Amino acid sequence: MSDELSALEPVSQVLVVKLFLTVRLQALRFCTAGKVSTSRSHRMQVLEVQQAVVRLSELWLKPQLASHVQPNLFPLGRSAMFRTASTAVILALHFWAGDASNSAAHRSGKPHILFIMVDEMDGRILDDETPQFKPPMPHLRQLMKRGTYFPNAYSNSPLCVPARTSMLAGRYNSDIKVWDNFIGIANVNGDNSNLDKRCVDAFSRSECREFAAEQKINGTFIDVLADHGYEITLWGKVHAGAGLDRFSHKISNDPFTGTGPVRESAKAWSRLSGVVSKRQDPTLWMRRPNDVPMPAEGFYDYPTAEECAKLIRQGIFKKATPQFLYCSFSVPHPPYQTNGTYWNAVGSLGKHAVPRLVPRDKLHPADAYAAKAKQFWHMDECDAKDIEHFRRVYFSMCVESDKLVGNILSAFYNSGVKNAYVMFVSDHGEHNLENRQWQKSSMKEASARIPLIIAGPGMPKGQRINGLTSLHDVYPTLLDMAGAKSRVPQAKLAGESVLPMARGHERKRNYVVSEYHDSYSRTGAFMIRQGHLKLILHAPLYHGGKPWPPQLFDVKEDPWELTDLASKKPGEVQRLENMLRKEFDVEAVDKYKKDYDRRMFLTYVYRRYSGPAGCHKTMDIAFPGFDEEDAKSIEQWIGKPCCKVAEGRKNRKAKYHSLQCPSRKMAKSK
């Protein structure tokens, strides 16, 4: 193009530049005014600009030049003056086309959004102000430099389905009644007559209607974005229900497993009984493989990285229609496994090889129960090499997740797209043997802290914002980006947009909260953090009873949460508890969930699977080493017998749930 411009006479070059600038300005005016419809073909857009050239050339050039400029063809070389106009038009269209690719979202008034999520990433591994081990995470650290990092972000509920459904719905789990990994969002787009197909397949249409009526969910942020003109593309782990499969068939979206893995559901729903496994040697669990060729567990993880990057390279963010691209990974979620590449990248853990622990005789009852329920009570007797091996595998998995995310980020930044946001987040953290625990499911920092990074328009580059944030904030933040109105009334909205924080404004609520009601927590756990203080409140085991003591930690001075300050600072405990109770009716929420647990256990474990005669066998699957003492605890909890089939009794056709317990007389004779 520069050769064609230089071939013109000097006076023609001046006219070209002047005409080019005017045409380009008018073209952009057409774009911003909406005169060029995004649904028109490229040729129609070109014709409109060419017509603008004719009108403008009549103003700036001699009439005889204007007569040569046709609105449909540009044959070069007829005359110097014609070449002047032709070159101006070609230059204008060339540069306008470049503008169009980077301002497609401007034409619609909405930015594109790239949403990247991982599962079970401890947020502290990116926070250089915490003493946590820092595995090499170059791609996410580069994103931190390109955007704004919120290090003090927390999970709304540290378990996969509850965290993701609350995030998608914009409301507390206790509000939407999604408590565990067995039932997700039952309706589709807020319509209780339209049910998630996976829910119907796992349960029944009538049961799913009951779930939907109980949940009262009026859609997800994905539904809201679709309503506001966004084209939705989902890849990877969703794990929430809500019929989101309709946006893509390339997702893992099956939270309706209540009738399937009895081992997990029986364990979760019977938590109030206090039964835990008698097998407490975690050594075998610690010796995780480090030679798996493709260790990321989710069978969608590698395709997600590949396909999301491909979509970006193919120009998904250069479309005129605003795009929401969701790319979500399972890794570093279990199974705990890695390969030599990531293992060697982590290297020796040094002082982080074995975590610091509170002595077992000084553990809070909630932490003692969790350690036993996770079968790690005897971790203290394990070989330090086994402990380091396990922890190193997890950190290696984090490195792998960084690499997968990096594939997408590289494609994004190489594409040159400017009017687009990137949000990176995890659903919860991972204990990685801190607190004698693995996995998540507690309010301790390892489990509850998550990473949150946002880059894009108006987000300061390389800035760290220490204000508290939460997964609750994702719903309002995404809608704020899109300029979309929330379906959730303000009074029920659990979080708030973090975009004002990036502009220097204070958060409306200077605290964050979380709740948890499932496996490894015998009773409901509620958390509030304000400033450096974090309060964990435990509901009474039985309604009307005395609760376990609250826990108070200063996470700045005591980042490993080894010193409970509750007894030393009762005033702070009361102050934070009062704030927490404004968000949750603790006793009412906990009672509702425990009634739900008993109902679900009786319906989907006891009546459909085990019955009284198979109860002992079923519970031994959930709790290896289940014995008569445990059976009494179950009987006391459900008010029904839990026994073994009498020895020697055979009934080949009958299933356990159809058998009765042996009579007491028969049992005594045995």
Side-chain angles (χ1 to χ4, degrees):
M1 195 63 64
S2 60
D3 292 339
E4 294 181 19
L5 185 60
S6 61
L8 299 175
E9 297 177 4
V11 64
S12 299
Q13 292 179 11
V14 173
L15 290 173
V16 165
V17 172
K18 197 169 186 178
L19 180 57
F20 158 67
L21 292 175
T22 309
V23 171
R24 186 166 182 245
L25 175 62
Q26 182 66 10
L28 291 175
R29 284 175 179 168
F30 276 5
C31 293
T32 57
K35 295 180 180 178
V36 180
S37 170
T38 56
S39 63
R40 294 182 179 181
S41 68
H42 178 68
R43 176 172 173 78
M44 290 299 296
Q45 296 175 18
V46 169
L47 288 176
E48 292 207 20
V49 176
Q50 292 174 349
Q51 289 165 0
V53 171
V54 174
R55 295 194 297 271
L56 291 166
S57 61
E58 289 174 349
L59 296 174
W60 295 105
L61 300 177
K62 294 179 180 180
Q64 62 266 36
L65 175 61
S67 66
H68 284 281
V69 183
Q70 301 300 319
N72 54 353
L73 295 172
F74 295 106
L76 295 176
R78 291 189 179 179
S79 68
M81 295 188 74
F82 182 75
R83 289 200 307 274
T84 301
S86 300
T87 305
V89 172
I90 294 170
L91 277 169
L93 291 176
H94 174 76
F95 282 92
W96 176 65
D99 287 335
S101 66
N102 273 324
S103 63
H106 280 303
R107 296 202 298 276
S108 68
K110 300 180 186 300
H112 302 302
I113 300 172
L114 171 59
F115 184 87
I116 305 176
M117 192 170 193
V118 294
D119 198 311
E120 205 145 329
M121 181 178 284
D122 179 353
R124 301 170 302 166
I125 64 175
L126 292 171
D127 184 2
D128 292 332
E129 293 187 7
T130 70
Q132 176 62 292
F133 179 77
K134 303 297 187 298
M137 310 279 281
H139 300 100
L140 288 175
R141 289 193 174 274
Q142 184 63 32
L143 181 62
M144 290 162 63
K145 293 178 181 179
R146 291 178 179 268
T148 304
Y149 173 48
F150 299 87
N152 293 306
Y154 282 84
S155 177
N156 46 14
S157 186
L159 187 66
C160 300
V161 174
R164 291 164 182 266
T165 52
S166 172
M167 175 190 75
L168 283 160
R171 294 157 58 189
Y172 293 145
N173 290 103
S174 50
D175 185 17
I176 63 174
K177 306 298 187 293
V178 178
W179 310 99
D180 51 37
N181 277 352
F182 311 110
I183 298 176
I185 299 174
N187 72 18
V188 176
N189 199 15
D191 180 3
N192 286 359
S193 65
N194 187 5
L195 300 172
D196 185 285
K197 183 179 182 300
R198 294 177 186 272
C199 180
V200 175
D201 290 344
F203 294 94
S204 70
R205 186 165 294 279
S206 62
E207 287 169 307
C208 292
R209 276 198 295 266
E210 291 178 7
F211 298 151
E214 194 172 32
Q215 294 170 350
K216 297 183 176 66
I217 295 173
N218 60 348
T220 68
F221 66 68
I222 292 176
D223 298 313
V224 177
L225 291 174
D227 287 347
H228 284 75
Y230 274 80
E231 184 176 317
I232 308 297
T233 304
L234 309 181
W235 266 97
K237 184 172 184 177
V238 177
H239 216 43
L244 295 177
D245 304 71
R246 70 191 188 278
F247 292 111
S248 173
H249 295 290
K250 304 173 182 66
I251 59 175
S252 174
N253 186 35
D254 190 8
F256 300 101
T257 56
T259 57
V262 172
R263 177 182 182 274
E264 296 302 321
S265 58
K267 183 164 54 178
W269 292 330
S270 65
R271 63 195 176 102
L272 180 59
S273 70
V275 173
V276 298
S277 174
K278 295 294 191 295
R279 299 174 188 172
Q280 289 291 325
D281 182 5
T283 301
L284 292 178
W285 284 108
M286 292 184 184
R287 295 170 182 169
R288 309 309 299 166
N290 61 356
D291 57 355
V292 180
M294 299 180 71
E297 175 268 342
F299 58 93
Y300 283 114
D301 279 6
Y302 299 112
T304 293
E306 180 180 346
E307 294 300 324
C308 283
K310 182 189 296 184
L311 286 169
I312 295 170
R313 288 192 296 268
Q314 291 174 344
I316 188 172
F317 291 134
K318 293 185 179 180
K319 293 183 178 181
T321 305
Q323 302 292 312
F324 178 78
L325 177 58
Y326 174 104
C327 309
S328 181
F329 301 94
S330 289
V331 69
H333 187 283
Y336 302 95
Q337 57 189 29
T338 189
N339 64 26
T341 299
Y342 308 116
W343 175 267
N344 293 330
V346 170
S348 173
L349 301 188
K351 65 179 181 180
H352 296 280
V354 178
R356 297 174 62 188
L357 301 172
V358 175
R360 279 181 294 193
D361 61 351
K362 301 203 181 286
L363 277 177
H364 185 278
D367 298 327
Y369 171 79
K372 292 175 181 177
K374 294 182 178 182
Q375 299 174 251
F376 273 77
W377 182 247
H378 294 302
M379 190 184 109
D380 303 55
E381 286 87 60
C382 292
D383 192 305
K385 291 182 180 179
D386 288 334
I387 294 174
E388 179 178 14
H389 179 95
F390 183 97
R391 286 168 57 76
R392 185 172 169 182
V393 166
Y394 171 73
F395 290 131
S396 301
M397 293 163 67
C398 292
V399 173
E400 182 180 19
S401 67
D402 177 79
K403 183 178 185 300
L404 292 172
V405 170
N407 292 340
I408 299 172
L409 292 176
S410 296
F412 177 81
Y413 285 112
N414 289 336
S415 71
V417 176
K418 296 176 181 177
N419 190 42
Y421 285 99
V422 180
M423 178 182 284
F424 172 80
V425 73
S426 179
D427 53 357
H428 49 72
E430 158 69 49
H431 279 284
N432 198 20
L433 303 190
E434 291 180 38
N435 312 299
R436 294 183 186 82
Q437 297 183 49
W438 64 343
Q439 299 183 2
K440 50 274 182 183
S441 307
S442 89
M443 295 302 177
K444 292 298 183 72
E445 291 289 278
S447 167
R449 280 278 290 276
I450 60 172
L452 175 60
I453 310 169
I454 303 176
M459 301 304 295
K461 293 184 178 181
Q463 182 166 330
R464 173 191 175 101
I465 295 181
N466 286 320
L468 297 167
T469 55
S470 164
L471 212 59
H472 286 137
D473 300 330
V474 169
Y475 182 106
T477 299
L478 289 172
L479 299 196
D480 193 3
M481 292 175 179
K485 184 179 178 181
S486 169
R487 289 189 188 179
V488 180
Q490 187 62 39
K492 283 187 171 291
L493 197 61
E496 58 189 84
S497 173
V498 303
L499 298 190
M501 296 174 68
R503 296 192 289 268
H505 300 291
E506 293 292 326
R507 186 181 176 88
K508 294 177 183 177
R509 288 182 286 189
N510 64 348
Y511 60 88
V512 293
V513 297
S514 183
E515 60 180 316
Y516 183 70
H517 309 276
D518 200 50
S519 300
Y520 313 123
S521 181
R522 192 176 176 190
T523 189
F526 302 82
M527 183 275 285
I528 181 169
R529 179 177 167 185
Q530 184 185 48
H532 298 146
L533 291 179
K534 184 172 79 172
L535 177 73
I536 303 174
L537 193 67
H538 305 276
L541 288 181
Y542 298 96
H543 192 63
K546 185 178 180 180
W548 282 336
Q551 296 170 279
L552 182 69
F553 300 99
D554 184 326
V555 295
K556 182 178 182 181
E557 297 300 323
D558 177 27
W560 302 115
E561 297 171 296
L562 302 175
T563 305
D564 185 351
L565 301 174
S567 62
K568 297 179 180 178
K569 296 188 175 184
E572 292 288 2
V573 169
Q574 191 60 58
R575 180 181 68 82
L576 291 171
E577 181 176 339
N578 291 342
M579 294 173 63
L580 184 59
R581 287 182 177 277
K582 289 180 180 179
E583 304 294 331
F584 303 104
D585 186 336
V586 171
E587 285 75 20
V589 168
D590 184 65
K591 182 180 184 303
Y592 189 104
K593 175 53 166 66
K594 286 171 179 169
D595 289 345
Y596 162 94
D597 284 344
R598 184 176 182 276
R599 183 177 77 246
M600 296 298 286
F601 180 88
L602 288 172
T603 302
Y604 298 107
V605 176
Y606 193 80
R607 292 173 186 156
R608 290 193 180 182
Y609 187 80
S610 74
C615 177
H616 199 291
K617 181 178 179 63
T618 298
M619 298 311 289
D620 188 59
I621 296 172
F623 303 104
F626 188 85
D627 58 19
E628 292 301 323
E629 182 181 352
D630 295 327
K632 290 178 182 178
S633 296
I634 295 295
E635 289 177 341
Q636 183 180 7
W637 170 54
I638 61 175
K640 296 180 181 296
C642 181
C643 56
K644 293 181 179 180
V645 176
E647 288 184 25
R649 181 177 179 181
K650 294 182 179 180
N651 190 332
R652 296 180 182 276
K653 295 182 180 180
K655 294 185 178 180
Y656 280 116
H657 70 269
S658 66
L659 299 178
Q660 296 301 314
C661 290
S663 66
R664 291 187 178 181
K665 183 176 180 181
M666 182 184 297
K668 287 181 180 179
S669 66
K670 292 288 182 182

